[in-house]
Structures are given as C-alpha cells and as structure tokens.
Amino acid sequence: QVQLVESGGGLVQPGGSLKLSCAASGSIFSISAMGWYRQAPGKEREKVAFITSAGTANYADSVKGRFSIFRDDAKNTVNLRMNSLKPDDTAAYYCSAEGRINTSSVFHSWGQGIQVTVSS
C-alpha cells in the first residue's frame, strides 16, 4: 500500500504564490508518474500538472506559464510551485502517484486533498 501526504495549501491573495508538496511512502518499487489534480465546488476534477519518471512535465492550459512541477525520486516527493495565482485556481488539490509495488503489481494512489483558496 502506498500513502500520499500533501502539505502547503492555504489562503493567498490574487497574484501570490504557494508551493504544494506531496510525499509518497509505503511499498514502493518505482513511481512512473506523479502529479496533481484539482476540484472546485460544483466542477469536475481536472488534471493540473503531471511529471513522468523521465522528467517530462505536462500542464493544463489554464496553468501553463504559472505553475511548475518538480519531483525528487530519492525522496519520492513531488512539488507544485504555483505563481500568479487567480481566484479561479481556488480548489481542493489532490496528489496522485502511479507506479509499481513490485515487478508484477501496480498501484495508483491519491492523497486526501488540500485546500487552496485565492482571495483578497
């Protein structure tokens, strides 16, 4: 079983910055992709940013140029740096990780979610 623990959310003014962190622990053989989804009230969950084991990052169009994703494979962590935040970025952010717990078994784990509120 693989657990994900998120940190770093909170309240920030429009134009401000926040960094979200997610740490994976448990029976991890390898992690192929880590990233973040978000869900605002009344809206569907959307993929925000993802990064593969090769270091390839993908971003939602709505956050390109403002958000940056980084991973540290030695620590099994992924960070999301969010700049120039807008009220539309307000949502619960969920960490996601996919990989293997051994050579024959895969996992896809989710964090519990962390709130980001952008408001003056």
Side-chain angles (χ1 to χ4, degrees):
Q1 189 175 5
V2 177
Q3 298 83 35
L4 304 181
V5 177
E6 301 131 330
S7 61
L11 173 65
V12 64
Q13 293 186 343
S17 298
L18 277 177
K19 188 180 81 170
L20 302 182
S21 297
C22 174
S25 63
S27 302
I28 299 171
F29 178 73
S30 64
I31 299 177
S32 56
M34 297 185 80
W36 297 87
Y37 286 76
R38 69 184 180 186
Q39 187 167 19
K43 295 187 178 180
E44 293 187 354
R45 187 173 294 191
E46 65 169 338
K47 184 181 290 187
V48 177
F50 252 75
I51 186 166
T52 69
S53 57
T56 301
N58 290 283
Y59 300 92
D61 288 342
S62 58
V63 307
K64 282 181 181 177
R66 301 188 297 121
F67 290 12
S68 297
I69 189 168
F70 304 93
R71 63 186 280 173
D72 184 338
D73 289 336
K75 298 179 180 179
N76 288 331
T77 59
V78 63
N79 298 315
L80 184 68
R81 181 68 180 177
M82 305 183 292
N83 296 324
S84 303
L85 283 161
K86 306 174 181 179
D88 283 349
D89 295 317
T90 296
Y93 284 70
Y94 297 87
C95 179
S96 170
E98 300 173 64
R100 294 187 173 275
I101 58 175
N102 54 49
T103 56
S104 59
S105 299
V106 299
F107 73 89
H108 185 182
S109 295
W110 293 88
Q112 290 188 321
I114 192 164
Q115 182 66 33
V116 171
T117 302
V118 185
S119 175
S120 55

